[in-house]
């Protein structure tokens, strides 16, 4: 049976072989099992039902949420010589009737249907004559209120299946793999003894990395300069961020375009086109951009902010490298992102249970930003694949790192924050620890505190960096306000009491200032030498300016 499927795949679709996950799903369907297939965006879910559709007798119904997606798929099928059509709200009764009559005569192999149509009485009367052997539910997470895209009309599907003279085989496909959603799909679609396949979440051409404490705008400018010829997407959390980043980059002479729900329809269509046809290489967008977009040569996806959960992140990041070529997915993490996402959750007035659920997913996202483990492995395990190995190529697998114990420094900082009654920001705390004679320091008599000058051998900027690090790791918190105030986090107390140590994985990531590899290596060595000679602690991070100075020494 699988041989026949491969034949169809080659003859109609022009692909040599099934991908690993596709094979299992197709096989299960051809053996007559209800099948729940979970595969990431770009994994190739369409083939999983289109190929079996060609092998079953009768007509296959595909339920799909977006008219534009449906139209694209139908066009592609027709161009490959497969008789297919769609039924959506843009058709009048006569057209619906004609198409369903043709389907009843077996003139179509696949019939795409918008879920809203299932409720129409006219449709229900006409569909009775169509010999349906197989129903595929695409984007099946839309049936779940736990998913990110709930469509009430998806709840009609079960009733539709029951109304048919003979229950067809059902395939449900989605990229959302959380247990709640999976369980919901199973229940709401009334799947029978279904086989579950979760595959292909590891996309080994995606080079994942998380960067903490970068100056995000500078990082992006540097990145765009180095990758000017490549197409890429930069996601930001809000329209305001998109507009600001867009204006900033444009002012600096970068060719960029933007997309968010606040733009007019024409503007959105125009900008999207410009990006799709490579007229403009860089798209700056909110998460409104991307659903159903199949641009194969996206070489990087940068997240300016941490998204609300890993499902959202991987869906967006996964728009890179759909052609299988190596592509970068970079997440620029800032501690404030946690406050922003918390604010979004609180603002939504969710039911208590639902809220807890959203927080659980947010914490997994934060964990991703902090974990020293392989990022690829972390994601794949989150999505339920258990036998993943470390990828050997993500940021965490390849960064040169050193472990260092910064317990003492952390204790000094925490105690200073406490002595200052958790009422001031990072800059002032750093000044007090440095022993600065700044007016504000003396004005509040902070120069009389026992923590005054406790870290005077450090540069002020280095203390601020350590504070940022402690914020990123959750030891310190900052308030979301115009002048963010430092507070002790829960993790700080055991450290202050001496019960726990702070061991920090420090990334030694030299900024690539030059494309000349030899010079680059020289810089790295030089930097190590300077560290040792100057007796600098290993966690002192060099700043771009230091590196630039050093490069002039070479
Ligand atoms: P999904 O719905 O899972 O996001 P699609 O079905 O849109 O993914 O497929 C994504 C891309 O992968 C498409 O460009 C498709 O042509 C390609 N593709 C799917 N299956 C195969 C295969 N077996 N071999 C090569 N390319 C494939
Ligand atoms: Mg799809
Ligand atoms: Zn890895």
């Amino acid at each position: 049976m699988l041989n026949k499927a491969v034949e169809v795949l080659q003859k109609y679709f022009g692909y040599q072989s099934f991908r690993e996950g596709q094979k299992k799903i197709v096989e299960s369907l051809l053996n007559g099992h209800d099948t729940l297939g979970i595969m990431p965006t770009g994994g190739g879910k369409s083939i999983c039902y289109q190929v079996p559709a060609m092998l079953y007798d009768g007509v296959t119904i595909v339920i799909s949420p977006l008219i534009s997606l449906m139209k694209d798929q139908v066009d592609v099928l027709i161009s490959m010589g497969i008789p297919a059509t769609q039924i959506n709200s843009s058709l009048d009764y006569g057209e619906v009737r004609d198409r369903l009559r043709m389907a009843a005569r077996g003139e179509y192999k696949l019939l795409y249907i918008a879920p809203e149509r299932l409720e129409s009485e006219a449709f229900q009367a006409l569909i009775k004559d169509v010999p349906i052997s197989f129903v595929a539910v695409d984007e099946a997470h839309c049936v779940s209120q736990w998913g990110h895209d709930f469509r009430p009309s998806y709840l009609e599907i079960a009733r539709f299946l029951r109304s048919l003279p003979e229950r067809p085989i059902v395939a449900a496909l989605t990229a959302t793999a959380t247990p709640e959603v999976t369980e919901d799909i199973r229940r709401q679609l009334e799947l029978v003894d279904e086989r579950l396949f979760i595959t292909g979440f590891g996309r080994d051409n995606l080079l994942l990395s998380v960067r903490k404490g970068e100056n995000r705008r500078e990082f992006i400018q540097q990145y765009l300069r180095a990758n000017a010829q490549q197409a890429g997407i930069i996601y930001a959390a809000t329209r305001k961020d998109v507009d600001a980043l867009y204006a900033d980059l444009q002012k600096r002479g970068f060719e960029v375009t933007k997309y968010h729900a606040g733009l007019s329809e024409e503007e959105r269509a125009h900008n999207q086109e410009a990006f799709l046809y490579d007229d403009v290489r860089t798209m700056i967008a909110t998460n409104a951009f991307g659903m159903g977009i199949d641009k194969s040569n996206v070489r990087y996806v940068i997240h300016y902010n941490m998204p609300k959960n890993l499902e959202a992140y991987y869906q967006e990041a996964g728009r890179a490298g759909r052609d299988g070529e190596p592509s970068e997915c970079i997440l620029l993490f800032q501690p404030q992102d946690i406050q922003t996402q918390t604010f979004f959750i609180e603002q939504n007035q969710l039911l208590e249970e639902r809220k807890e659920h959203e927080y659980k997913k947010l914490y997994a996202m934060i964990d991703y930003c902090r974990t020293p483990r392989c990022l690829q492995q972390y994601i794949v395990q989150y999505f339920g694949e258990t036998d993943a190995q470390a990828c050997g190529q993500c940021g965490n697998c390849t960064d040169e790192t050193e472990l260092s114990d910064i317990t003492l420094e952390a204790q000094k900082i925490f105690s200073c924050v406490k002595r200052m009654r958790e009422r001031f920001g990072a800059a002032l705390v750093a000044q007090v620890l440095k022993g600065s004679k700044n007016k504000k320091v003396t004005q509040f008599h902070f120069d009389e505190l026992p923590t005054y000058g406790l870290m005077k051998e450090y540069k002020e900027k280095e203390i601020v960096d350590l504070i940022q690090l402690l914020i990123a790791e959750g030891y310190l918190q900052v308030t979301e306000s115009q002048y963010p105030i430092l507070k002790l986090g829960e993790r700080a107390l055991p450290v202050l009491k001496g019960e726990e140590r702070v061991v920090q994985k420090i990334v030694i990531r030299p900024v690539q200032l030059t494309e000349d590899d030899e010079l680059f290596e020289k810089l790295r060595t030089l930097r190590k030498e300077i560290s040792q000679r100057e007796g600098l602690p290993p966690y002192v991070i060099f700043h771009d300016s230091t590196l630039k100075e050093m490069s002039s020494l070479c």
Side-chain angles (χ1 to χ4, degrees):
M1 205 56 177
L2 198 60
N3 288 345
K4 279 217 179 108
V6 174
E7 249 170 59
V8 167
L9 182 76
Q10 293 173 343
K11 179 168 165 220
Y12 288 95
F13 296 87
Y15 297 132
Q16 222 19 60
S17 56
F18 284 114
R19 292 175 179 160
E20 200 45 41
Q22 289 174 328
K23 192 156 63 186
K24 289 182 190 155
I25 294 171
V26 169
E27 200 163 29
S28 157
L29 287 168
L30 293 178
N31 286 331
H33 300 298
D34 276 6
T35 303
L36 176 47
I38 303 175
M39 206 185 265
T41 306
K45 290 184 282 296
S46 320
I47 293 283
C48 294
Y49 55 81
Q50 288 166 340
V51 168
M54 297 296 289
L55 293 167
Y56 286 128
D57 294 333
V59 177
T60 287
I61 303 275
V62 181
I63 297 169
S64 167
L66 288 181
I67 293 182
S68 60
L69 287 186
M70 237 190 264
K71 186 173 176 325
D72 288 349
Q73 290 211 10
V74 169
D75 289 348
V76 170
L77 289 172
I78 292 173
S79 75
M80 295 186 296
I82 298 173
T85 193
Q86 53 169 329
I87 291 182
N88 60 48
S89 51
S90 71
L91 304 177
D92 62 30
Y93 174 76
E95 287 169 306
V96 173
R97 186 197 51 208
D98 292 349
R99 289 185 189 192
L100 285 174
R101 281 191 181 155
M102 282 173 72
R105 289 199 299 269
E107 290 179 37
Y108 292 121
K109 220 45 221 164
L110 289 108
L111 200 55
Y112 280 71
I113 297 180
E116 302 78 43
R117 291 288 93 190
L118 300 175
E119 295 163 52
S120 118
E121 276 176 30
F123 173 81
Q124 287 171 3
L126 288 163
I127 195 75
K128 293 230 153 52
D129 298 326
V130 179
I132 299 169
S133 43
F134 174 38
V135 172
V137 182
D138 205 358
E139 313 287 350
H141 60 276
C142 292
V143 82
S144 168
Q145 306 205 37
W146 298 117
H148 45 82
D149 233 351
F150 175 55
R151 309 265 165 143
S153 53
Y154 262 63
L155 295 174
E156 287 299 313
I157 297 172
R159 194 181 336 184
F160 165 68
L161 292 173
R162 267 184 261 124
S163 77
L164 296 173
E166 208 169 319
R167 189 178 177 288
I169 297 161
V170 178
L173 297 145
T174 178
T176 306
T178 56
E180 294 90 347
V181 173
T182 311
E183 186 48 42
D184 238 13
I185 293 174
R186 195 176 266 149
R187 213 178 55 230
Q188 305 286 10
L189 294 181
E190 298 176 356
L191 299 182
V192 179
D193 185 27
E194 80 289 336
R195 307 295 138 105
L196 169 69
F197 298 98
I198 304 177
T199 43
F201 276 88
R203 300 251 320 266
D204 51 14
N205 64 320
L206 297 186
L207 310 173
L208 304 167
S209 62
V210 175
R211 286 166 182 251
K212 292 179 239 182
E214 295 276 358
N215 177 327
R216 293 179 293 178
R217 293 222 175 151
E218 265 174 32
F219 174 83
I220 285 174
Q221 287 163 33
Q222 241 181 9
Y223 192 89
L224 293 188
R225 255 181 239 119
N227 296 278
Q229 296 310 311
Q230 312 287 9
I233 307 173
I234 302 172
Y235 279 108
T238 64
R239 298 175 194 183
K240 221 172 87 193
D241 286 335
V242 169
D243 287 336
L245 194 57
Y246 172 81
D248 181 52
L249 290 170
Q250 206 178 40
K251 196 181 72 199
R252 292 169 195 275
F254 291 96
E255 264 193 48
V256 291
T257 185
K258 64 175 174 176
Y259 190 104
H260 60 63
L263 303 177
S264 72
E265 204 169 311
E266 299 90 77
E267 229 175 329
R268 269 181 286 157
H270 174 267
N271 295 355
Q272 173 168 323
E273 259 326 64
F275 178 66
L276 289 182
Y277 292 104
D278 287 325
D279 294 336
V280 181
R281 302 294 171 141
T282 309
M283 169 60 87
I284 305 167
T286 61
N287 60 8
F289 178 75
M291 175 113 165
I293 292 210
D294 187 7
K295 181 174 170 62
S296 61
N297 65 336
V298 175
R299 287 281 75 82
Y300 60 87
V301 171
I302 298 177
H303 277 75
Y304 191 72
N305 305 96
M306 175 186 76
K308 64 177 174 179
N309 56 44
L310 275 165
E311 286 87 343
Y313 179 63
Y314 209 47
Q315 180 135 35
E316 288 158 17
R319 300 204 168 106
R322 290 185 72 150
D323 54 7
E325 292 294 312
S327 307
E328 283 199 273
C329 305
I330 303 169
L331 197 162
L332 302 174
F333 174 69
Q334 306 276 316
Q336 301 93 286
D337 291 342
I338 301 174
Q339 266 96 340
T340 311
Q341 293 301 346
T342 307
F343 173 76
F344 283 149
I345 294 177
E346 290 300 329
Q347 189 195 33
N348 276 338
Q349 302 193 336
L350 302 166
L351 295 174
E352 210 43 49
E353 188 193 5
R354 173 80 202 214
K355 200 190 245 177
E356 214 172 281
H357 178 76
E358 292 298 323
Y359 272 117
K360 224 174 71 197
K361 297 211 287 188
L362 174 60
Y363 293 140
M365 181 76 244
I366 298 169
D367 236 31
Y368 173 83
C369 297
R370 290 180 179 158
T371 184
R373 281 176 42 208
C374 170
L375 296 171
Q376 181 81 59
Q377 192 183 37
Y378 185 98
I379 287 191
V380 164
Q381 287 180 350
Y382 178 80
F383 287 119
E385 272 184 65
T386 48
D387 51 355
Q389 303 291 310
C391 76
Q393 59 180 17
C394 71
N396 286 355
C397 284
T398 57
D399 272 335
E400 272 183 56
T401 56
E402 287 171 19
L403 280 183
S404 63
D405 188 317
I406 56 168
T407 310
L408 195 60
E409 287 74 10
Q411 283 170 335
K412 289 176 182 173
I413 291 168
F414 298 159
S415 92
C416 192
V417 169
K418 213 169 151 206
R419 298 256 175 197
M420 290 165 73
R421 298 173 179 249
E422 303 181 87
R423 278 193 208 150
F424 299 90
L428 198 62
V429 172
Q431 283 166 8
V432 171
L433 283 162
K434 169 76 190 167
S436 153
K437 299 227 158 30
N438 185 316
K439 220 167 83 203
K440 216 166 167 193
V441 173
T442 46
Q443 180 193 338
F444 287 105
H445 302 291
F446 288 145
D447 49 351
E448 290 160 24
L449 291 179
T451 52
Y452 180 74
L454 207 53
M455 293 177 78
K456 59 174 174 297
E457 71 278 21
Y458 289 80
K459 295 208 176 83
E460 222 173 276
K461 175 87 170 88
E462 286 163 358
I463 304 175
V464 172
D465 283 350
L466 278 168
I467 291 175
Q468 288 302 338
L469 209 68
L470 292 166
I471 296 170
E473 299 298 321
Y475 289 99
L476 290 171
Q477 293 170 351
V478 276
T479 56
E480 176 105 323
S481 52
Q482 194 182 358
Y483 303 104
I485 291 168
L486 274 186
K487 294 189 180 294
L488 296 184
E490 244 171 70
R491 297 182 74 190
L493 293 175
V495 176
L496 264 177
K497 286 192 225 152
E499 293 165 2
E500 270 176 37
R501 309 200 66 78
V502 183
V503 178
Q504 184 52 47
K505 188 175 146 168
I506 302 294
V507 176
I508 313 296
R509 184 193 287 126
V511 181
Q512 183 117 20
L513 290 166
T514 160
E515 305 230 310
D516 179 346
D517 287 341
E518 211 177 309
L519 179 60
F520 185 60
E521 272 314 311
K522 233 186 204 165
L523 276 175
R524 272 152 80 126
T525 323
L526 189 64
R527 198 185 52 154
K528 264 195 187 147
E529 281 171 21
I530 294 179
S531 286
Q532 280 162 7
R533 196 177 63 222
E534 306 285 319
L536 295 173
Y539 46 83
V540 169
I541 301 161
F542 284 109
H543 303 293
D544 295 5
S545 53
T546 326
L547 274 166
K548 283 196 185 107
E549 257 169 51
M550 284 166 47
S551 73
S552 66
L553 290 175
C554 282

